Amino acid sequence: MINRMILRFLSVADNVGLARVAVAQLAAPIGFSLSDLEEIKVAVSEAVSNAIIHGYQGRADGWVEVVASVVDDELTVSVEDWGVGIADIAKAREPAYSTDPERMGLGFVFMESFMHSLVVESAPGRGTRVEMRRKAHVGALSRDVQ
Amino acid sequence: MMEVMQRGEGEPMTIVHAVFSERLLVAIKGELDLKVAGELRKTLDQLIDRYPDRDVTLDLSEVPFVDSSGLGVILGRYKRLSAAGRALQLTGVRPPVRAVLDLAGISQLLSVQDYVPKSPVR
Ligand SMILES: Nc1ncnc2c1ncn2[C@@H]1O[C@H](COP(=O)(O)OP(=O)(O)O)[C@@H](O)[C@H]1O
Ligand SMILES: [Mg+2]
């Protein structure tokens, strides 16, 4: 099974739901359970929300690009923005770290926990790209052994 | 193809409430994400202020999805309420929402009751 999707939209909050449902729809046929798909939706929602909130700092005129592909039993999703970028990626990925006092700093935690791998590339002033992968058929993720 | 759209997905959020002598019950319907976070925060704060001294129960039976933006609003209300000695309790929590609450450690912080399907009417 090979399928691929590119979704490009403006940085408005209404598109977060669109992106997570589109990715879940693409991922469904390769054997994910309904609860797997719910977890994938959360991961996509976090990445796209970050692009909007942090990348473009709430501006509604930035582009966000989601590329999703399924190859055999693996889903790969990337979310990219061309916003402010991240100065210290390791710091940003720490649980409970947020540059916004109103937020919880759990977005990267959810992406890591609900997917099998997470790669973050970013440069200040250039933008951010996160790539996440998850295989179907590997059973429940063991979150307590991380 | 598997059905990946859940009940309530894509519909606008609605909030209804009922006031009891010691408790404010707020039933939320819809997905709690970045799109609705601001409105959810505003509405809950208004209700919390309008009915002081009462504990608050959020009924999430009609909430199919929560991410960290939605969770942040719930946790923020918990902090406000507990600072005033008031309790917050979550009921009707569906499995995908439960997974997010557990990962965030919220289930240890406040009372969380899972969704119980209604028994069929005979
Ligand atoms: N796309 C992005 N562009 C710029 N900064 C980002 C981006 N994604 C994440 N960050 C930074 O990483 C931090 C942690 O992100 P996250 O774990 O999602 O927590 P939160 O969104 O609650 O702040 C953010 O506060 C922000 O500073
Ligand atoms: Mg985030």
Side-chain angles (χ1 to χ4, degrees):
Chain A
M1 169 87 183
I2 294 184
N3 198 0
R4 190 168 157 84
M5 168 187 86
I6 302 179
L7 203 60
R8 210 166 205 266
F9 48 82
L10 285 175
S11 50
V12 292
D14 300 64
N15 292 329
V16 178
L18 176 84
R20 66 172 173 258
V21 170
V23 172
Q25 197 83 40
L26 185 94
I30 65 166
F32 289 111
S33 70
L34 274 182
S35 85
D36 294 345
L37 293 172
E38 288 302 319
E39 296 182 342
I40 290 165
K41 279 188 203 169
V42 175
V44 172
S45 201
E46 297 299 340
V48 174
S49 297
N50 278 353
I52 297 170
I53 307 163
H54 304 299
Y56 294 113
Q57 311 201 283
R59 270 179 31 221
D61 61 352
W63 287 106
V64 179
E65 187 171 282
V66 176
V67 181
S69 59
V70 284
V71 177
D72 300 329
D73 68 342
E74 188 174 47
L75 167 73
T76 304
V77 188
S78 69
V79 177
E80 184 163 9
D81 67 69
W82 293 267
V84 298
I86 303 173
D88 186 340
I89 297 173
K91 182 113 211 129
R93 289 180 65 158
E94 281 173 16
Y97 175 84
S98 178
T99 45
D100 180 344
E102 295 282 296
R103 300 191 55 81
M104 295 190 301
L106 290 181
F108 281 129
V109 174
F110 286 178
M111 288 181 242
E112 265 175 40
S113 305
F114 288 148
M115 302 295 280
H116 291 150
S117 75
L118 170 70
V119 176
V120 183
E121 301 164 337
S122 189
R126 308 264 300 266
T128 301
R129 180 177 177 277
V130 304
E131 186 178 285
M132 307 179 277
R133 290 167 184 266
R134 179 163 173 168
K135 272 184 190 282
H137 309 306
V138 288
L141 299 183
S142 45
R143 278 178 208 111
D144 43 359
V145 292
Q146 285 183 359
Chain B
M1 173 171 290
M2 202 191 303
E3 186 57 76
V4 296
M5 296 285 280
Q6 300 291 302
R7 200 152 58 101
E9 199 161 66
E11 288 169 21
M13 178 184 62
T14 58
I15 298 173
V16 297
H17 69 276
V19 186
F20 301 93
S21 55
E22 295 187 335
R23 192 166 62 99
L24 171 66
L25 174 66
V26 185
I28 305 168
K29 185 176 177 179
E31 299 173 290
L32 308 185
D33 66 2
L34 181 64
K35 184 185 173 189
V36 302
E39 189 195 331
L40 180 65
R41 181 185 304 110
K42 204 177 104 206
T43 308
L44 289 178
D45 278 346
Q46 282 170 353
L47 287 170
I48 286 168
D49 293 340
R50 199 191 307 163
Y51 304 103
D53 305 326
R54 285 176 177 82
D55 290 340
V56 178
T57 300
L58 298 184
D59 179 356
L60 304 180
S61 313
E62 302 282 338
V63 173
F65 179 90
V66 173
D67 66 13
S68 78
S69 297
L71 204 57
V73 175
I74 294 174
L75 198 67
R77 290 338 90 197
Y78 164 75
K79 286 179 182 158
R80 275 201 68 199
L81 287 163
S82 57
R86 300 164 67 184
L88 176 67
Q89 148 181 15
L90 308 179
T91 62
V93 175
R94 290 179 178 271
V97 177
R98 180 88 203 196
V100 167
L101 293 175
D102 287 348
L103 199 49
I106 296 223
S107 321
Q108 284 118 297
L109 219 55
L110 45 109
S111 157
V112 178
Q113 276 153 38
D114 290 326
Y115 176 79
V116 183
K118 289 190 187 71
S119 47
V121 183
R122 275 184 289 169

